[in-house]
Each structure stands twice: as C-alpha cells, then as structure tokens.
Amino acid sequence: DQQVKQNSPSLSVQEGRISILNCDYTNSMFDYFLWYKKYPAEGPTFLISISSIKDKNEDGRFTVFLNKSAKHLSLHIVPSQPGDSAVYFCAASARQSSGDKLTFGTGTRLAVRP
Amino acid sequence: NAGVTQTPKFRILKIGQSMTLQCTQDMNHNYMYWYRQDPGMGLKLIYYSVGAGITDKGEVPNGYNVSRSTTEDFPLRLELAAPSQTSVYFCASSYLAGNQPQHFGDGTRLSIL
C-alpha cells in the first residue's frame, strides 16, 4: 500500500524554465510534508517542508504547494538550473500519531537540459 | 562538521554471513533512523530510536537488529544475510520530533550473493 505516490518517474526541463514535481498521498493523518533531493552515491538532502496548516512555503527558487482536499502537493523550481538535476523524493509524516517517522514516495528523476 | 557518517560504503556478503553497518552522528541528535532503498523504490524505515537505550521497529524490521547505547551511534546488525537484503542502507538523524528535518548519511551499498 503506497501511501505516498510520485507517479512521474522522470521529468526533463530546459534550463531557465519551471520544473513542477508532483506528489499524492492517501493517509489523511499526514500533517507534515518534506521534499528531499538526492544525487547519485549520496544520501538524500533536505530541501523544503510544509506543515498541513499552510498551503504554500517558499525558499528561494523552491516553492512547495499543498492542497489538502486533493491530498496533493507539488514542488516548483524556478528558474531550473543544471545543478538541480537529481532525484527528488516526497516524504510525509503523521506527527500526532507516528511522531517523526517518514513515509517516502518512489522519487522523480529531474533532468535540467542546458 | 561531519554530520551523519556511515561505514562501510560498499560491502559484498555471502548468504548466511552476518555484519554490522555502522552509523554515527556528531550533531547531538536524539532521533536516529535506518532506512533501506531498493531499486526504483522509496526509502523504507527499518528501525528507529528516540534516544539512547530506546529502539523501535519500523516498516520492514525482519532480519535486522539495532542497538542504541550512546546518543552518537546507531549500528544496524544483519545476522543471517539473505539475497532479499541486497539494498542501499541509509542512516538518518534528527534533533527532535516535529518540524525538524532528518539528516542522512551517504549510504552503504550492500550486496548479498
């Protein structure tokens, strides 16, 4: 039972354009969502997060949007840069019931073309 | 500032052998975690710890054991290696529960042949 889904295994975007990565979840108890970025042979690196009390969080070129009614979140990267090429994982936790345990999606591989 | 350090980076085991994957963090984090990542899949939680002396099972604990004798170290033990345990293993830590992201090590790539 995949509670966090990233239905696009890959995405290719031209440098300077917007990258939009999507994530859907099924567990209505999730109240904290994170995006991690992963380069080959390295561990995931925290990128940005959002609490369920918000619908948007912005950090520089990265913005995460949360639509609770649709159980959907997205990560926008604008403008995209070649260094953004990596695998992006969406993760969620139900802090009230499960503490800090994260449930991860399967990842989306982003390629930014120069 | 080393963060989360995992050793070894690579290892090949024969079926039935045992080994310990080491994980240490120097950030004085209370919470530590072990995940495995299989090809094309997300990370799945094996075990976690909320502090020294306290451990609990995650989603996929079978075939593994952990201990947490100090705040810094959280080793993962495979007693009887099986081909299904071929994976990349990640250790992570966080300061507290709540709005604190987990920090990951660079992983141990383990092959069981």
Side-chain angles (χ1 to χ4, degrees):
Chain A
D1 177 29
Q2 191 73 20
Q3 296 188 62
V4 177
K5 301 177 185 179
Q6 294 178 257
N7 292 318
S8 298
S10 63
L11 175 68
S12 181
V13 170
Q14 192 155 17
E15 181 179 5
R17 305 295 291 269
I18 186 171
S19 295
I20 300 176
L21 295 92
N22 294 304
C23 179
D24 297 294
Y25 62 95
T26 58
N27 188 345
S28 58
M29 299 299 291
F30 287 148
D31 57 6
Y32 185 52
F33 304 88
L34 309 90
W35 284 94
Y36 280 85
K37 175 180 177 179
K38 185 182 179 305
Y39 293 119
E42 294 183 10
T45 302
F46 169 72
L47 196 56
I48 192 168
S49 64
I50 187 167
S51 166
S52 60
I53 62 173
K54 293 186 172 184
D55 55 18
K56 177 183 174 180
N57 189 27
E58 195 171 350
D59 183 2
R61 295 186 298 115
F62 303 93
T63 302
V64 56
F65 295 92
L66 175 62
N67 182 334
K68 288 191 295 293
S69 61
K71 293 191 176 67
H72 176 84
L73 65 154
S74 61
L75 173 68
H76 292 210
I77 306 173
V78 56
S80 301
Q81 300 174 355
D84 296 329
S85 297
V87 177
Y88 289 79
F89 290 98
C90 171
S93 68
R95 289 174 298 172
Q96 295 296 325
S97 58
S98 304
D100 230 17
K101 290 185 285 185
L102 293 179
T103 301
F104 282 83
T106 53
T108 297
R109 183 178 302 277
L110 173 66
V112 180
R113 307 185 306 273
Chain B
N1 190 0
V4 178
T5 302
Q6 292 184 238
T7 56
K9 292 190 185 303
F10 305 95
R11 184 74 183 267
I12 298 174
L13 283 183
K14 294 183 180 178
I15 296 172
Q17 286 186 319
S18 62
M19 79 162 293
T20 299
L21 282 66
Q22 301 292 345
C23 175
T24 187
Q25 52 92 8
D26 62 0
M27 297 174 282
N28 201 31
H29 284 171
N30 297 309
Y31 288 67
M32 295 188 75
Y33 314 81
W34 274 105
Y35 295 89
R36 59 178 286 173
Q37 185 191 12
D38 299 328
M41 303 295 289
L43 283 73
K44 293 190 182 298
L45 183 65
I46 306 171
Y47 269 96
Y48 68 101
S49 169
V50 301
I54 305 169
T55 63
D56 208 347
K57 296 178 181 178
E59 186 182 354
V60 290
N62 292 343
Y64 307 94
N65 280 301
V66 293
S67 60
R68 183 96 183 269
S69 57
T70 66
T71 300
E72 295 78 20
D73 300 306
F74 190 40
L76 177 72
R77 178 93 178 151
L78 282 72
E79 290 293 350
L80 288 172
S84 62
Q85 293 176 305
T86 293
S87 191
V88 181
Y89 292 83
F90 291 100
C91 178
S93 71
S94 63
Y95 183 54
L96 289 170
N99 296 343
Q100 301 288 335
Q102 294 179 19
H103 298 261
F104 284 80
D106 284 340
T108 293
R109 185 176 295 274
L110 182 63
S111 296
I112 316 293
L113 303 176

